[in-house]
Amino acid sequence: MRKFLTTTAMIALAVAGAGASARAADVKEVQMLHWWTSGGEAAALSVLKQDLSKEGYAWKDVPVAGGGGDAAMTALKAMVAAGNYPTASQMLGYTVLDYAQEGVMGDLTATAKKEGWDKSVPKALQKFAVYNGKWVAAPVNVHSVNWLWINKAVMEKIGGKQPKTFAELIALLDKAKAAGVVPLALGGQNWQEATMFDSIVLSTGGPEFYKKAFNDLDEDSLKSDTMKKSFDNLATIIKYVDPNFSGRDWNLATAMVIKGDALVQVMGDWAKGEFVAAKKTPGTDYLCYRFPGTEGSVIYNSDMFGMFNVPADRKAAQVALATATLSKSFQSAFNVVKGSVPSRTDVPDTAFDACGKKGIADLKAANEGGTLFGSLAQGYGAPPAIANAYKDVVSKFVHGQIKTSDEAVKQLVQAIDDAR
Ligand code: GAL
């Protein structure tokens, strides 16, 4: 008997020892899937890499190029299907919820409690980072899409001023055209076109309309004359791109504005990350204005680091990543470089430039005033199948496969219905 007990005790000791040595062998590595491959994006990401390397974590980069993240999400799907979960993946809104529903996400609730995320992260983001009461993602930032990015020297050369209405924007584009400058820098990829269309719809129909159509998916709004008018406006603005716009990456379009080869880009504020990387200063080299007719509203998206249910020996690295991501110092340092604004409301705007300060103030006002809306193009208006259907219809219209606004509205309603 005594011998038996001793043996049991020995086994218990051995198991405990194995546990201890498993902890000692925690994998000191963060594997991160993302689509941050442009100059500005890579610069922002290296802020995080450095923070983690100070804590002794190696960075295992899984970059999948392609703005907007469609290619990255295809790669992620394959990894998850193979049971090969990254520590975390960049994700947008409804995609987080999809994976959470699939049951493959980890649980960061203890970290969230310890770090006070409940109080500091806006509810609009918690809706996507928390699933069934559990934190499954760490929101890195808040981007907004309803911006104009304008080269200041070109603006002065053509004698332009801030456009306050859609008609004034078109008049400004005409001036650029007359001066022989490409008026509108755009990359003809579906997600870029749809991201711009988000702003056009808000400008054309106003905040209530945007919300009903693109967040509530209200059928009457989707098939309304206002939606038709929005497509008319898209048809008008698209005439101002250069002939080589098809397929161009978004950051190359930004570079056209930075260099003064084009007047303006309509893009989310990740474009500002490119200006920052090129050492350009707002107010001196470039101007950031809200897309005309959308001042007071913010169409947002937020990059989330979706946290997968990784094996026990990789959890410590995941917690370190999550903790670093939402630390106040990181939130300031990272977002200054990325062009976005902090995903917690208690980060001072001191380090941010004029556009960043405006972004922070606009987000706060929109959040408090009920004019903060998810971007349909950027995964915060509706689940991925619907967002993809939307991007497809907008792009077909831009590239002439859908010929009239009437037809575009019809196909949009149909495509969204099919994807519901
Ligand atoms: C967005 C993302 C941004 C930026 C952009 C272009 O979807 O939220 O962080 O990466 O794509 O790549």
Side-chain angles (χ1 to χ4, degrees), residues 35-36 41 66-69 90 92 141 143 191 250 270 301-303 338 378:
W35 62 92
W36 284 337
E41 291 172 330
Q90 182 186 359
L92 300 172
N141 61 5
H143 272 302
W191 73 272
W250 69 272
W270 46 89
N301 76 334
S302 159
D303 292 302
K338 184 69 171 71
Q378 289 288 325

Side-chain angles (χ1 to χ4, degrees), residues 254-400:
T254 312
M256 291 167 69
V257 176
I258 293 176
K259 285 193 233 144
D261 294 340
L263 171 70
V264 57
Q265 182 182 24
V266 181
M267 191 38 66
D269 41 19
W270 46 89
K272 205 195 79 179
E274 300 303 301
F275 285 93
V276 172
K279 309 235 176 314
K280 302 293 183 192
T281 310
T284 308
D285 304 310
Y286 68 100
L287 305 161
C288 57
Y289 298 134
R290 286 293 172 188
F291 190 92
T294 72
E295 188 76 53
S297 296
V298 169
I299 307 179
Y300 81 98
N301 76 334
S302 159
D303 292 302
M304 304 237 170
F305 289 162
M307 301 289 177
F308 282 89
N309 190 13
V310 290
D313 60 353
R314 290 172 60 201
K315 288 230 194 290
Q318 189 174 61
V319 167
L321 170 67
T323 307
T325 299
L326 274 145
S327 81
K328 283 202 212 177
S329 57
F330 170 78
Q331 280 290 318
S332 180
F334 173 87
N335 285 305
V336 159
V337 181
K338 184 69 171 71
S340 39
V341 306
S343 56
R344 42 190 301 164
T345 50
D346 53 359
V347 178
D349 72 358
T350 333
F352 288 80
D353 62 24
C355 302
K357 284 189 168 64
K358 178 169 169 54
I360 292 173
D362 286 358
L363 174 64
K364 185 168 187 281
N367 193 24
E368 287 165 3
T371 52
L372 177 63
F373 308 116
S375 162
L376 183 55
Q378 289 288 325
Y380 278 82
I386 290 175
N388 288 338
Y390 163 61
K391 288 187 271 192
D392 190 48
V393 170
V394 170
S395 195
K396 281 188 176 144
F397 182 74
V398 166
H399 295 273

Side-chain angles (χ1 to χ4, degrees), residues 67-193:
D70 286 342
M73 289 304 93
T74 306
L76 179 64
K77 207 178 216 166
M79 279 177 78
V80 172
N84 172 21
Y85 303 165
T87 314
S89 171
Q90 182 186 359
M91 284 185 197
L92 300 172
Y94 280 94
T95 307
V96 177
L97 301 181
D98 273 6
Y99 278 107
Q101 197 175 14
E102 217 181 283
V104 295
M105 302 309 276
D107 182 0
L108 267 294
T109 309
T111 309
K113 275 222 171 83
K114 190 161 157 248
E115 302 288 327
W117 296 358
D118 284 345
K119 279 174 239 95
S120 57
V121 174
K123 290 279 179 276
L125 304 192
Q126 290 192 30
K127 217 178 103 190
F128 296 97
V130 178
Y131 181 77
N132 278 348
K134 289 184 188 148
W135 282 85
V136 296
V140 193
N141 61 5
V142 185
H143 272 302
S144 74
V145 308
N146 52 317
W147 288 108
L148 302 180
W149 305 98
I150 293 180
N151 181 294
K152 192 174 175 208
V154 174
M155 188 74 155
E156 278 166 1
K157 184 175 141 198
I158 65 172
K161 60 173 185 16
Q162 179 181 2
K164 293 289 177 71
T165 61
F166 187 76
E168 285 180 18
L169 174 59
I170 298 304
L172 182 66
L173 297 175
D174 274 329
K175 272 176 183 273
K177 193 174 168 193
V181 181
V182 174
L184 179 65
L186 179 72
Q189 297 173 343
N190 69 2
W191 73 272
Q192 292 185 57
E193 295 150 353

